[in-house]
Amino acid sequence: MSKAATAGAVLVAVVACAAAYFNLVSVAVPIALVCLIGLGAGVLAAFQRAVFFLGEEDQLIIEGWLERHAHNGPGVKIVNPFTHRGAFLRRAETLSATEYIKVCNSRDGSERIEKGPQLMFLGPYDKLVARSVAMSLGNTEYAIVTNELEGTRTVVKGPCIWFPGAHDVASKGEAVSMSSTEYIFVTDRLTGEKKTVRGPCVWFPQAFESPSAKFVAIALQEDQYLRLKDKSNGKRWVQKGKAQVFLEPTWEIDGKGGAASRAWSLKAYEYVRLLDSVTGKISVHKGEQVVFPG
């Protein structure tokens, strides 16, 4: 019974009683009025519990004694007021093409994602947990997706519109674009292994990979060379030009300043003597030629 109806019934009863007290009307009149008002209020309350008018986006939830039921609009729903504990109306969720909601079923605890576009009517035991917008990924963008329930990680590459699963969280990243003279070192954080990735390419990571900053290959002219060392096994060698040198993760330039050196360009009447620092042997090289160290 509404507050207005209750107030009206009380007012009419007070007026009728006052009239009877002052002998303006018979005592039976206020009693009859109070009974009629009570009967009307009861009928109104029963009508409000029994008849529900549903719009296109309305949903009626009926809480029975043992379970709940849902009825979607539009329409008129008539229910027996003595067969349920209560009932209430709620609105459906209108989702655009890029929207989604996360829904929890209060009966079994399960969670799920509902994607747009749609007019979504929740189930009788569903509760809205969150509402959000899908992640938009461009041609050079990606998302690292972690499933918090299973602990797995995956990579989603653009271009696409990405909707999460019920237990997914994601971080957005930008792929590395490299020209033909650029390269990066890539580390697998799971195994610790490192590798070199050369351009030209657009590099997207795997689930546990992370890139270094971009490096530029060393361009050697015909009379230039580099002394290189592999830190993993101690091997040393000379890289001669003409070449572009892309370093590996375990390589380093062996020498002062880490820059390229110039070979000896000998004319016909020139020569050069080279000392092998390991064996102590001296070798003589005569022109005309370009001499690189061993």
Side-chain angles (χ1 to χ4, degrees), residues 75 87 105 126 175 202 206-207 215 242:
N105 186 300
D126 287 344
V202 177
Q206 297 299 315
F215 301 100
K242 187 176 183 177

Side-chain angles (χ1 to χ4, degrees), residues 7-292:
V10 172
L11 179 61
V12 171
V14 170
V15 172
C17 290
Y21 179 79
F22 291 105
N23 296 321
L24 298 177
V25 295
S26 172
V27 176
V29 173
I31 296 176
L33 284 174
V34 171
C35 291
L36 287 174
I37 291 171
L39 179 62
V43 171
L44 178 61
F47 180 82
Q48 290 176 336
R49 283 177 53 87
V51 181
F52 296 89
F53 299 91
L54 307 179
E56 290 185 355
E57 299 182 10
D58 289 334
Q59 182 183 58
L60 174 65
I61 301 297
I62 300 175
E63 296 180 323
W65 300 109
L66 298 178
E67 58 184 9
R68 302 175 76 181
H69 302 279
H71 300 275
N72 303 332
V76 178
K77 180 63 179 177
I78 301 175
V79 297
N80 187 339
F82 304 106
T83 60
H84 64 276
R85 294 183 291 114
F88 62 92
L89 292 174
R90 67 183 179 187
R91 301 284 286 180
E93 298 293 331
T94 303
L95 302 176
S96 68
T98 59
E99 290 182 314
Y100 68 91
I101 56 174
K102 186 175 182 179
V103 179
C104 177
N105 186 300
S106 61
R107 194 172 201 178
D108 58 18
S110 63
E111 294 181 323
R112 71 181 191 276
I113 296 294
E114 293 288 348
K115 308 173 186 178
Q118 64 168 312
L119 180 64
M120 175 63 193
F121 287 95
L122 300 177
Y125 294 96
D126 287 344
K127 291 184 178 180
L128 179 64
V129 177
R131 184 187 186 102
S132 191
V133 178
M135 182 181 292
S136 177
L137 299 176
N139 291 330
T140 60
E141 293 179 317
Y142 64 89
I144 301 289
V145 181
T146 302
N147 186 301
E148 294 184 322
L149 184 64
E150 301 174 355
T152 57
R153 299 184 72 180
T154 55
V155 176
V156 178
K157 301 178 183 179
C160 69
I161 300 295
W162 176 78
F163 290 88
H167 304 285
D168 289 344
V169 293
S171 59
K172 191 174 182 179
E174 184 78 22
V176 181
S177 298
M178 290 177 283
S179 68
S180 59
T181 61
E182 294 177 318
Y183 67 98
I184 57 173
F185 296 146
V186 176
T187 302
D188 188 321
R189 298 192 302 274
L190 202 59
T191 64
E193 295 181 356
K194 295 184 178 181
K195 64 181 180 181
T196 298
V197 177
R198 304 179 183 182
C201 70
V202 177
W203 176 83
F204 290 88
Q206 297 299 315
F208 293 94
E209 290 182 341
S210 60
S212 68
K214 287 194 291 187
F215 301 100
V216 178
I218 302 171
L220 297 179
Q221 301 303 317
E222 292 182 351
D223 61 345
Q224 290 181 312
Y225 67 92
L226 279 177
R227 294 183 183 271
L228 298 175
K229 177 183 177 181
D230 191 330
K231 294 181 292 184
S232 64
N233 55 26
K235 180 182 176 182
R236 287 180 167 88
W237 70 98
V238 172
Q239 174 65 55
K240 303 175 184 179
K242 187 176 183 177
Q244 279 191 332
V245 181
F246 295 85
L247 299 180
E248 293 294 328
T250 59
W251 292 4
E252 65 179 10
I253 299 175
D254 191 11
K256 295 182 179 180
S261 300
R262 194 168 297 278
W264 294 271
S265 297
L266 301 179
K267 296 179 181 179
Y269 54 87
E270 293 178 323
Y271 70 93
V272 65
R273 291 189 296 178
L274 300 180
L275 173 65
D276 190 320
S277 60
V278 176
T279 64
K281 182 180 177 180
I282 297 176
S283 59
V284 177
H285 301 268
K286 302 177 181 179
E288 180 176 343
Q289 63 172 321
V290 178
V291 179
F292 292 89

